[in-house]
Amino acid sequence: PQVCWLSPEQTAGKQKPFMYTQGQAVLNRSFFPCFDTPSVKCTYSATVEVPEGFTAVMSATSWEKTNDNTFVFKMSQPIPSYLIALAVGDIVSAEVGPRSRVWAEPCLIEAAKKEYDGVIEEFLVVGEKLFGPYVWGRYDILFMPPSFPFGGMENPCLTFVTPCLLAGDRSLVDVIIHEISHSWFGNLVTNATWGEFWLNEGFTMYAQRRISTEVYGLPYTCLEAATGRALLRQHMDNTGEDHPLNKLRVIIEPGFSLFLGVNPDDTYNETPYEKGYCFVSYLAHLVGDQSKFDAFLQAYVNRFKFQSITADDTLGFFLEYFPELKEKGVDSIPGFEFERWLNTPGWPPYLPDLSPGQQLMKPADALAELWAADSLNMDAIEAVDITAWRVYQLIYFLDQVLEKSPLPEGNVERLSKMYPKISKAQNAELRLRWCQIILKNNVEAEYSKVKDFLHSQGKQKYTLPLYRAMWGGSESARALAMETFSATAPQLHVNVQNYVKKILGLEVAE
């Protein structure tokens, strides 16, 4: 299951096959013999022979080509097995910074260079200022073929990302901040078990938002965090707050026989990310001074670098670093006990203050209200200039419009004409929401946009919600779902194919 073999039609160039590995959480055991647990770290080397006309890349600190078809890789820092990754395909590279290059199929390389030139270094420098030295040498990005089902995978030295990040106007470059933040939290200091995945993801979300605040300012970061909180709310509403997976410390129990464990991938959800972020924010709130907490994070990374640790190690170090807080007994404040954070499912007991984001949310809320009215007040609508809005403000606006949908007859068509920046966007996050609005309002004239978007990429996060929306819609929407799936199935990852088949009530091949 770890090694994905793509046929030419699943790539962007559609000429040559492509192969990549995806190790997280416990799949690398099917790629090479290993202790497939994040509690064990090791260095590695590899020699990879490929057919002529192909290039191999790996998550390694050094590599060389020994002859035309053989590549030799070495990772000189100890890493957990899940971070060992290999990709082989028709790929080329371009420099985008003093220690970064982008890798992609030849047809995407110009777009990738334009989008990320100079950007990565800016984020890395801020990360180093906040969390200490970047120890991995290079930070390269590999843009995967469009059928890659994930957003990104933080393989050290070489992050794998979806080509959906190539929006053409740099409006999604900040998504990479999350993967860069893993260079300290996850890759350098690692959760010792998948049951404490929040140590990787909660700290990374916190680090991502610290970098984003330094680069883009607090209001924008609060708006992005509010989108994240809404996803957590949605997830907990879907599963029920008291679901055992809504704890930070998840018990990954063996199944009903000695040989059937639980695949940690099946426990994956928003909780370790967003509830984890709330817990780290709560620790910062206890400290009460941002620069002191930043200093703690540097000390934490330095203390545990290249190790795998548990939440007890993290929280023990926190109390040791702040003896005055330990004396106050902050770990057992009623309602906010560290034990409760870790072991009780449900909504986070503490939520960071996101009110600075209100200055960006309020105008978006007001504009969505105007568009949901029975008779449109065009003077009021035209008075709002959205040309300066950054992408998360537009996403927030579209989320509000979607919530109020279906809108009165004709409103969506007028909205589409009024804002080509939205209805003709190449940005995948905007396209997803615009397609959802089209389907919820049954605007058949714009169905081609749904079809084009599903033909252009196979990312799970975008593909499944659109099939759900089509299948829950009108007869013509259901017909669109069937027609689009039969045309695009061969270019989708097999897991995504099976998820779509389930939605459409089709037989899933075992």
Side-chain angles (χ1 to χ4, degrees), residues 21-37:
T21 66
Q22 169 61 32
Q24 195 174 13
V26 290
L27 296 179
N28 266 345
R29 60 188 70 181
S30 69
F31 169 37
F32 59 92
C34 59
F35 295 108
D36 203 2
T37 158

Side-chain angles (χ1 to χ4, degrees), residues 90-101:
D90 179 13
I91 43 181
V92 291
S93 70
E95 298 288 332
V96 291
R99 49 186 155 171
S100 303
R101 54 173 90 86

Side-chain angles (χ1 to χ4, degrees), residues 279-301:
F279 189 20
V280 180
S281 302
Y282 175 64
L283 298 177
H285 161 77
L286 290 173
V287 174
D289 175 320
Q290 186 65 62
S291 58
K292 277 188 183 158
F293 192 69
D294 288 346
F296 159 73
L297 289 177
Q298 279 214 29
Y300 169 72
V301 169

Side-chain angles (χ1 to χ4, degrees), residues 87-327:
V88 179
D90 179 13
I91 43 181
V92 291
S93 70
E95 298 288 332
V96 291
R99 49 186 155 171
S100 303
R101 54 173 90 86
V102 287
W103 290 88
E105 293 179 60
C107 60
L108 290 178
I109 196 71
E110 271 314 303
K113 181 173 166 45
K114 214 167 102 188
E115 200 87 353
Y116 279 87
D117 213 0
V119 171
I120 295 170
E121 187 60 21
E122 181 186 8
F123 297 151
L124 282 173
V125 166
V126 176
E128 289 189 298
K129 188 181 89 184
L130 290 169
F131 315 120
Y134 176 77
V135 303
W136 307 100
R138 297 199 64 82
Y139 187 93
D140 289 2
I141 302 180
L142 171 63
F143 286 90
M144 302 299 280
S147 59
F148 185 60
F150 314 103
M153 180 59 215
E154 67 274 10
N155 303 310
C157 309
L158 184 69
T159 287
F160 289 11
V161 295
T162 169
C164 294
L165 296 190
L166 300 174
D169 57 2
R170 298 197 163 187
S171 55
L172 285 177
V173 293
D174 55 343
V175 173
I176 207 71
I177 299 177
H178 181 85
E179 309 308 336
I180 286 174
S181 300
H182 272 303
S183 307
W184 294 273
F185 305 98
N187 296 7
L188 194 51
V189 180
T190 309
N191 48 231
T193 76
W194 292 118
E196 296 194 321
F197 186 45
W198 77 273
L199 285 175
N200 277 15
E201 293 301 346
F203 275 89
T204 294
M205 293 304 294
Y206 187 85
Q208 167 199 322
R209 287 170 182 156
R210 279 295 294 120
I211 294 175
S212 167
T213 300
E214 297 287 309
V215 177
Y216 299 115
L218 189 58
Y220 184 69
T221 302
C222 287
L223 179 59
E224 184 273 322
T227 334
R229 187 179 295 176
L231 287 175
L232 180 65
R233 183 70 272 166
Q234 212 177 337
H235 158 72
M236 288 204 178
D237 289 345
N238 288 345
T239 56
E241 280 200 18
D242 50 3
H243 193 288
L245 289 184
N246 293 332
K247 297 191 285 199
L248 289 181
R249 187 182 271 152
V250 178
I251 311 300
I252 301 182
E253 290 286 4
F256 47 84
S257 99
L258 287 176
F259 307 107
L260 284 179
V262 174
N263 183 345
D265 277 347
D266 295 341
T267 68
Y268 176 88
N269 64 58
E270 293 295 335
T271 299
Y273 292 79
E274 294 295 345
K275 188 175 180 177
Y277 165 71
C278 289
F279 189 20
V280 180
S281 302
Y282 175 64
L283 298 177
H285 161 77
L286 290 173
V287 174
D289 175 320
Q290 186 65 62
S291 58
K292 277 188 183 158
F293 192 69
D294 288 346
F296 159 73
L297 289 177
Q298 279 214 29
Y300 169 72
V301 169
N302 196 40
R303 167 75 178 76
F304 294 113
K305 61 181 183 225
F306 302 117
Q307 295 176 50
S308 300
I309 63 171
T310 64
D312 294 341
D313 297 322
T314 301
L315 297 169
F317 181 71
F318 175 78
L319 294 171
E320 181 190 312
Y321 188 89
F322 295 110
E324 67 283 10
L325 293 181
K326 186 178 183 172
E327 235 164 84

Side-chain angles (χ1 to χ4, degrees), residues 413 416-417 434 438 441-450 476:
E413 289 82 344
S416 174
K417 281 203 181 71
W434 186 246
I438 289 168
N441 290 277
N442 203 27
V443 183
E444 290 194 26
E446 298 219 5
Y447 273 7
S448 61
K449 289 189 174 155
V450 180
S476 52

Side-chain angles (χ1 to χ4, degrees), residues 422-459:
I422 291 173
S423 58
K424 292 191 164 76
Q426 284 310 297
N427 177 307
E429 294 287 333
L430 296 177
R431 286 176 84 178
L432 166 67
R433 287 161 176 86
W434 186 246
C435 290
Q436 287 173 306
I437 289 168
I438 289 168
L439 293 167
K440 192 129 176 232
N441 290 277
N442 203 27
V443 183
E444 290 194 26
E446 298 219 5
Y447 273 7
S448 61
K449 289 189 174 155
V450 180
K451 200 162 97 179
D452 292 346
F453 187 42
L454 289 169
H455 274 264
S456 75
Q457 55 75 42
K459 187 177 165 186

